[in-house]
Amino acid sequence: MSRRAAGRRALDGVRVIDLTQALAGPFCTSLLADQGADVIKIEPPRGDFLRYTGPFGSDDEPRDYGGVFQSANRNKRSVVLDLKKPEARNVLLRLVNDADVLVENFSAGVMERLGLGYETLAARNPRLVYASIRGFGDKPGGESPYAHWPAFDIVAQAMGGLMSITGRDAEHPVRVGSGVGDTVPGLFAAFGILAALREAERSGRGQYVDVAMADSVLAISEVVVNTYGHTGQVPTPIGNQLQGFAPFDTVEASDGVVALGAPHNPQWAKLAAIMGRPELVDDPRFATDHARWENRDAVYEVVNDWTRRHTVAELIDLLGGKVPLGPIFDAEDIFADPHFAARDMLPTVEHPVSGREVTVPGIPAKLSRTPGAITRPAPLTGEHTTEVLRELGLDSNDLGALAAAGATVLPTLQEQTS
C-alpha cells in the first residue's frame, strides 16, 4: 500500500457510482478514489472485460484479474448488477438517490434505452454530477457526426491529431506507447467532475460533464492547433524534436542516447560553456531561440559532436542539475531509481488470489494536508455486493430475490446472511 498516511482525504464523503469499463472511465474514477471518494463500481455478472487483459503473473490463475485492471480500479468497491434486469435498475436508482457523482462510458444512447439517462437521474437527484466519456462525446457538448462510432485509444490518438505529429516522418505515423487516448480523457473527466462538484456546492444543482476521447487528445496536441491556426501549415512528425525549440531532442553518447533540452538562451549559454564553446552564444546562427530552430541541423551537429565523446554517465555528471537532461529510463531503471521511491510512485497492493505483492502506479498529485492513499487493491467481481446493498437497506430476503431474478450475483450464502 501507499506508505503515506491514510487519514482524512480531500474527497472523503463523496460517493461515486462507477458504471465504467475498459480504461478511460475506470482511470477517471480511480483518481477520485485515491483522494478518498467512495467509488462503487457496478459490474455486469461477467465483470469488467478489462479484468481479462494482462499483464498477468505466472501464478495468476484464473486469469481474470489483470495488471491494468488492478491499477485502474484500486480503492473501489465492486457490486454486480445486471442492468438488463428491471430489478437491478431499481437498485441502481436507489444508489443514485444518495450519490454525488455518476460516471459511465457506454455507447451513446445506452443509458437512455435502460431508462437511466441523465434527465431521469437528475430528476431523482438534482445535485448529481453525471459524467460520460465516449469516443466522440454526447449531445450536451455538441453532437458529433461520429457520435455512434466506437472508439479505442488508437482511434482517439489518430483522430485527435496526436499520431499526425508522432514518429519519424509523415509516412509512418506512430501511436504514443501508453494509452493516452484513454488516460487523458480520464484526467479531463476527473477535472470536470471536481469543477462541477465545486459549483454544486454553491448552486445545489449538478450537471452533465461530457468528455470526448478525441477532444481530449486534441487538447494535448497543441502543436497541431497552434501551428495550423497561426500559419496554415500542417505539422508533421519530427522525431523527438519539438517544433520551434532547439536543441530539444535525444542526442548521442558514446554508449547510448540521452534526452537533452536547452532551447532558451540561458540554457544554451550554460550548455555552450560546459562544451567549451562559449563563442556559440554570439554566433548569429545560434544567437536567439528562433535562430537555433531555423539552424537546427547545425545545432545538432555541434551538440552531437561533443556528446559522442562522452558516455551517458559522464553526460549526467557534466550536465545534470545544470542543463535539462535525462537518461532514457526503462522499467527496470525506474524501479531502481531513488526518485520514484522517494515520491512513493511504486506502491504495492496484495493480489487477492495469490497473496503476493504487486506494484501499481502511485499518486502523482501530492496534497500536503490531505494526501491521497492507496488503501485497498482492486476488488474481485461483486466482492462488495452484499455489503453495499445492505448499506442501502436491503435485507436477506431482498438480496435473495435479486439473485433469483438474475439481477445480481451474490458470492456465498454465508455473506448474504452474515
Side-chain angles (χ1 to χ4, degrees):
M1 302 294 180
S2 170
R3 68 168 181 271
R4 298 185 183 276
R8 180 161 179 79
R9 290 182 281 168
L11 297 182
D12 282 350
V14 173
R15 172 162 283 192
V16 178
I17 306 303
D18 180 2
L19 297 177
T20 68
Q21 297 191 56
L23 182 55
F27 183 77
C28 164
T29 52
S30 76
L31 301 176
L32 305 177
D34 288 348
Q35 299 300 334
D38 177 19
V39 177
I40 300 174
K41 182 178 180 69
I42 307 298
E43 300 189 67
R46 60 170 170 75
D48 182 339
F49 65 80
L50 192 64
R51 289 180 176 275
Y52 307 98
T53 302
F56 296 102
S58 59
D59 57 348
D60 286 350
E61 292 294 344
R63 298 205 161 192
D64 57 0
Y65 193 84
V68 180
F69 176 86
Q70 167 69 277
S71 174
N73 290 282
R74 73 274 190 102
N75 286 334
K76 302 178 186 179
R77 297 193 286 172
S78 171
V79 171
V80 166
L81 288 177
D82 184 352
L83 295 179
K84 296 176 183 177
K85 306 287 186 179
E87 297 86 353
R89 295 196 293 273
N90 289 335
V91 171
L92 182 69
L93 290 171
R94 291 180 61 175
L95 286 168
V96 165
N97 288 341
D98 296 319
D100 300 287
V101 179
L102 182 142
V103 189
E104 52 95 355
N105 63 346
F106 293 116
S107 298
V110 168
M111 288 290 280
E112 286 76 12
R113 290 195 294 273
L114 290 171
L116 300 171
Y118 171 67
E119 298 298 337
T120 299
L121 300 186
R124 294 182 67 96
N125 180 356
R127 291 181 58 90
L128 182 71
V129 172
Y130 180 112
S132 68
I133 306 172
R134 316 202 200 289
F136 302 95
D138 211 316
K139 293 178 182 178
E143 191 165 9
S144 168
Y146 314 121
H148 294 282
W149 284 26
F152 276 119
D153 157 69
I154 192 169
V155 174
Q157 290 199 34
M159 295 182 71
L162 189 57
M163 286 179 66
S164 76
I165 55 172
T166 305
R168 278 290 170 192
D169 53 52
E171 286 70 42
H172 302 89
V174 174
R175 169 190 170 274
V176 174
S178 66
V180 297
D182 284 313
T183 54
V184 169
L187 281 166
F188 279 116
F191 168 78
I193 288 166
L194 294 178
L197 283 172
R198 180 69 180 93
E199 198 280 331
E201 291 176 0
R202 296 193 295 264
S203 69
R205 297 174 59 201
Q207 58 187 300
Y208 195 126
V209 178
D210 174 9
V211 175
M213 295 164 66
D215 296 357
S216 301
V217 171
L218 179 61
I220 63 163
S221 303
E222 76 287 347
V223 171
V224 173
V225 175
N226 295 342
T227 302
Y228 191 77
H230 284 77
T231 70
Q233 297 176 349
V234 176
T236 56
I238 50 176
N240 292 320
Q241 297 180 19
L242 179 62
Q243 186 164 340
F245 294 80
F248 192 102
D249 201 346
T250 49
V251 295
E252 300 174 15
S254 63
D255 60 347
V257 296
V258 295
L260 172 70
H264 304 307
N265 284 344
Q267 300 151 353
W268 175 247
K270 286 183 182 179
L271 178 60
I274 293 169
M275 292 192 302
R277 299 288 304 277
E279 74 280 2
L280 296 174
V281 173
D282 298 318
D283 188 317
R285 298 173 299 167
F286 312 136
T288 66
D289 292 6
H290 185 68
R292 286 189 292 278
W293 170 250
E294 290 293 318
N295 295 285
R296 56 191 176 277
D297 290 344
V299 168
Y300 290 116
E301 183 178 353
V302 169
V303 172
N304 276 292
D305 181 64
W306 179 76
T307 58
R308 288 190 196 104
R309 303 176 206 164
H310 302 280
T311 66
V312 169
E314 290 169 346
L315 290 173
I316 292 171
D317 287 340
L318 287 164
L319 299 176
K322 305 177 185 70
V323 175
L325 170 135
I328 313 300
F329 278 176
D330 62 19
E332 185 176 11
D333 298 323
I334 287 169
F335 273 68
D337 191 80
H339 165 85
F340 301 103
R343 300 286 294 176
D344 199 20
M345 285 306 297
L346 298 168
T348 59
V349 293
E350 184 177 294
H351 192 290
V353 178
S354 69
R356 60 183 172 81
E357 295 291 308
V358 294
T359 304
V360 295
I363 303 171
K366 315 292 189 187
L367 280 65
S368 63
R369 190 167 52 80
T370 56
I374 298 171
T375 58
R376 66 168 95 194
L380 298 172
T381 306
E383 180 179 345
H384 304 95
T385 298
T386 302
E387 172 183 296
V388 171
L389 297 190
R390 284 190 180 280
E391 291 173 1
L392 198 60
L394 277 65
D395 60 22
S396 298
N397 290 333
D398 298 323
L399 295 174
L402 284 171
T408 190
V409 175
L410 301 175
T412 65
L413 180 63
Q414 288 75 20
E415 287 189 35
Q416 293 179 46
T417 56
S418 62

